[in-house]
Amino acid sequence: MGVSVSLSAESLEVVPGEEAVCTVTVRNTGTVIDQITVDVVGPAAAWSVVEPPMVNLYPGDVGEVRVYLRPPRASQPGAGPVPYGVRASSLEDPRGSATAEGVVEIAPFTELKVRLVPQISRGSRRGKHKVDVSNLGNVAIGTQIGAVDPDDALTFDVPRPAVVASPGVVTQARLSAVPRTKFWTGKQQVKPFQVVVQPERGPASTVEGTFEQDPIVPRWAAATAIAALALAVVLAGLWFALVKPAVKSAATEAAATEASKAAAAAASDSGGGSQSGTASDVSPSPSSSAPAKPAKKPEPGSPGNPLLAPISFRIQTSVKPGDKFVTKVSPDQPKNKPLDVTDLQLQNPAADSGFLEIRRGNDVIYASGLDNFRDLPQAYVTPVRYAKGQLVTVAIQCSNPAPEKRPCTAAVTVVGKTA
């Protein structure tokens, strides 16, 4: 008893979003009527259909079924060969089942989605944006990022114009729009532009953006200056009209009082010189000659003792996939000194998946998905203060998929100042 199975073609080609068909021949090699179930095993099972999935055969009879291979138009499965198997299972003799193996070649395709964040920037000297390039295809592709404006009123700064977009990954690049001319006062000027992402093959993708240029001196500053000038004029008038005469009168009265006291003291000295002579022999009190105590030095990081010593260290992680966050710290960070963090450099060169948090004690000061960056700088205008005993902690929750389940190796470089 048993069953045999064979494929009409051991190798097939298919474009994602379409289908390839393979005819499967099933033979009942047993001696009784058997019900045979046919299914697909391997990576292709998720996007394969068997019609009909079951046949009834007399001993020695042959039946045919069709296997439809329909890979989705997505980043997975990736381009290239995907092995699969067609299994024929006997109801009467389960141990007599058989499997035929084949390979389906997934054709490559590219599809880019570009997003500008924010779409509208505002400033007097430059506008800052981030360009998100999402690769929806199933193969990595190199891209060139640039920008143009119809009025030639802007120049553009792209620190990393050439990026490689991996399948299913969002790649970020910074872009700055800089006006060619600046103005001190006046109304806001709106300057549209277009970001162009040109892949190494296929048509370019574009997205619209706008830079709203403000004057160097904002309108509220001029109004504030006028109000301050008016207030100064009012205060000056009050000074000359009310305060100055009162001060002059008080000074005159004080001078007259002091003159009266001086005259009375002179009269007293002329009548009792012998008594006043003894007063000069009185020695000064010991407290007047005691040395002053030295002032206590302010704590490091206080206004009188700022943090000035530069420091940088790197926190390297290696975290296995799992549901919980795993924390890492650097042995190079001083434990008994305060720290002002001014810059962070987040790196994810292996394109790991998961989440990253940067913590200060129980507080999370930065959080991001690992899929959202490869090499991301993070600068702080106001430094993030870590007190004595507080360490910069990197927490990783790794979500790298099977079957590899490789560990996440993201790293963070910390730059700042300490005592």
Side-chain angles (χ1 to χ4, degrees), residues 56-70:
N56 296 316
L57 297 177
Y58 284 95
D61 280 0
V62 174
E64 289 187 351
V65 299
R66 289 179 177 271
V67 175
Y68 297 89
L69 302 168
R70 300 167 179 169

Side-chain angles (χ1 to χ4, degrees), residues 187-227:
K187 294 183 179 180
Q188 183 185 79
Q189 299 179 6
V190 177
K191 299 180 178 180
F193 62 92
Q194 190 178 66
V195 177
V196 181
V197 178
Q198 178 64 59
E200 58 189 5
R201 55 182 178 275
S205 299
T206 60
V207 62
E208 303 295 329
T210 303
F211 173 57
E212 297 179 347
Q213 185 180 0
D214 292 329
I216 295 177
V217 179
R219 300 177 65 181
W220 63 264
T224 302
I226 294 173

Side-chain angles (χ1 to χ4, degrees), residues 84-109:
Y84 70 97
V86 178
R87 178 176 56 191
S89 303
S90 169
L91 177 64
E92 299 296 332
D93 183 13
R95 292 180 297 179
S97 301
T99 301
E101 295 181 351
V103 175
V104 58
E105 185 77 21
I106 307 296
F109 79 97

Side-chain angles (χ1 to χ4, degrees), residues 18 58 88 96 131 138 143 168 174 188 221 257 310 327 346 382 384 386 416:
E18 301 179 8
Y58 284 95
V131 182
N138 63 355
T143 61
R174 290 180 295 166
Q188 183 185 79
T257 302
T327 58
L346 285 69
T382 301
V384 179
Y386 281 76

Side-chain angles (χ1 to χ4, degrees), residues 319 322-327 355-357 359 394-398:
V319 178
D323 298 331
K324 296 183 179 180
F325 278 91
V326 178
T327 58
F355 296 94
L356 174 145
E357 292 182 353
R359 300 177 179 178
V394 176
I396 299 290
Q397 187 265 310
C398 186

Side-chain angles (χ1 to χ4, degrees), residues 351-366:
D352 295 324
S353 297
F355 296 94
L356 174 145
E357 292 182 353
I358 299 177
R359 300 177 179 178
R360 178 180 58 191
N362 294 326
D363 297 331
V364 178
I365 65 170
Y366 184 86

Side-chain angles (χ1 to χ4, degrees), residues 100-145:
E101 295 181 351
V103 175
V104 58
E105 185 77 21
I106 307 296
F109 79 97
T110 58
E111 182 177 345
L112 295 180
K113 180 180 179 182
V114 181
R115 189 166 68 104
L116 187 65
V117 182
Q119 197 164 4
I120 300 175
S121 63
R122 183 175 181 178
S124 59
R125 302 180 184 276
R126 66 174 52 226
K128 296 182 179 180
H129 302 264
K130 289 183 179 179
V131 182
D132 290 347
V133 181
S134 302
N135 186 357
L136 306 181
N138 63 355
V139 63
I141 186 169
T143 61
Q144 283 287 136
I145 300 175

